[in-house]
Amino acid sequence: METYNRDRHLHGVEEYEQQVHSTTGRDFTIGLAIGLAVGTIGGLFLAPKSGDALRDDISDTTNRFTQTFNSKDDGGADTESLKAKAEQKTEELRSKVEDKKDQAVAKKSELEEKQRIKNMDEEEIQAQKRAIQDDVADEGAQDPRTVDMSKYAEEDKDNK
């Protein structure tokens, strides 16, 4: 029968974790070096122009772009039309915001009115309940829920 040695097990786990960490770093470094070498060699062999010609093309493109951008800022028609469109969109957004704000205010006042009416109705109902209880309550009776019907019977005879 085999026995379990905890120290031996933990020692094996620690060595495995160290091996994984060192292998991962080493593999990344090797891959990076190989990738850089292949990229550099491929770039040198596949470049259609010399370095000077490539730098000149990049600087020419950059100069044309900056000249185009500066000429539009100096008062070109494109800049004016963009400003006009931006102002138009701004006005449209402002009007939409104002409409939504007005709708929100109207909805709020409508809800406040409904709540006021509901509170008023509840107050009136409570007042009516108290009035009915006062009318029904007989001073001579011990229980306010009982009514002396003889009092009403005499009134009926007098009305006829």
Side-chain angles (χ1 to χ4, degrees):
M1 181 179 199
E2 191 175 328
T3 60
Y4 175 73
N5 186 347
R6 182 176 67 96
D7 293 332
R8 183 176 174 198
H9 174 72
L10 290 177
H11 182 67
V13 171
E14 290 172 358
E15 284 180 1
Y16 175 75
E17 287 177 355
Q18 288 176 354
Q19 182 183 6
V20 167
H21 290 297
S22 66
T23 304
T24 304
R26 185 181 65 218
D27 291 346
F28 176 75
T29 305
I30 292 171
L32 181 64
I34 291 172
L36 285 172
V38 169
T40 303
I41 292 169
L44 289 174
F45 284 124
L46 298 174
K49 296 181 180 180
S50 66
D52 291 333
L54 185 61
R55 283 191 292 273
D56 289 339
D57 286 346
I58 291 173
S59 65
D60 289 342
T61 305
T62 305
N63 289 336
R64 276 188 273 143
F65 176 74
T66 55
Q67 288 174 356
T68 305
F69 184 72
N70 289 336
S71 68
K72 287 184 179 179
D73 282 345
D74 291 339
D78 291 338
T79 305
E80 294 299 322
S81 66
L82 288 176
K83 287 181 182 178
K85 287 180 182 178
E87 289 175 3
Q88 180 184 6
K89 291 294 183 183
T90 304
E91 288 302 317
E92 288 176 8
L93 286 175
R94 281 189 185 137
S95 65
K96 286 181 182 179
V97 167
E98 288 296 322
D99 291 342
K100 292 296 181 181
K101 183 179 175 183
D102 293 341
Q103 289 175 357
V105 168
K107 189 70 170 177
K108 180 182 176 189
S109 63
E110 181 181 330
L111 291 174
E112 288 174 349
E113 182 65 18
K114 284 182 180 180
Q115 185 64 34
R116 185 186 67 79
I117 290 172
K118 182 179 177 184
N119 290 340
M120 193 168 64
D121 289 344
E122 289 175 2
E123 291 173 1
E124 288 179 10
I125 289 172
Q126 293 299 325
Q128 288 176 357
K129 283 182 181 179
R130 285 191 300 273
I132 291 171
Q133 288 174 352
D134 290 343
D135 286 345
V136 171
D138 189 23
E139 294 177 12
Q142 293 176 348
D143 188 6
R145 292 176 288 176
T146 59
V147 178
D148 183 18
M149 295 303 290
S150 62
K151 179 172 120 178
Y152 297 110
E154 292 175 9
E155 290 178 6
D156 288 339
K157 290 179 184 177
D158 293 337
N159 289 339
K160 289 183 181 180

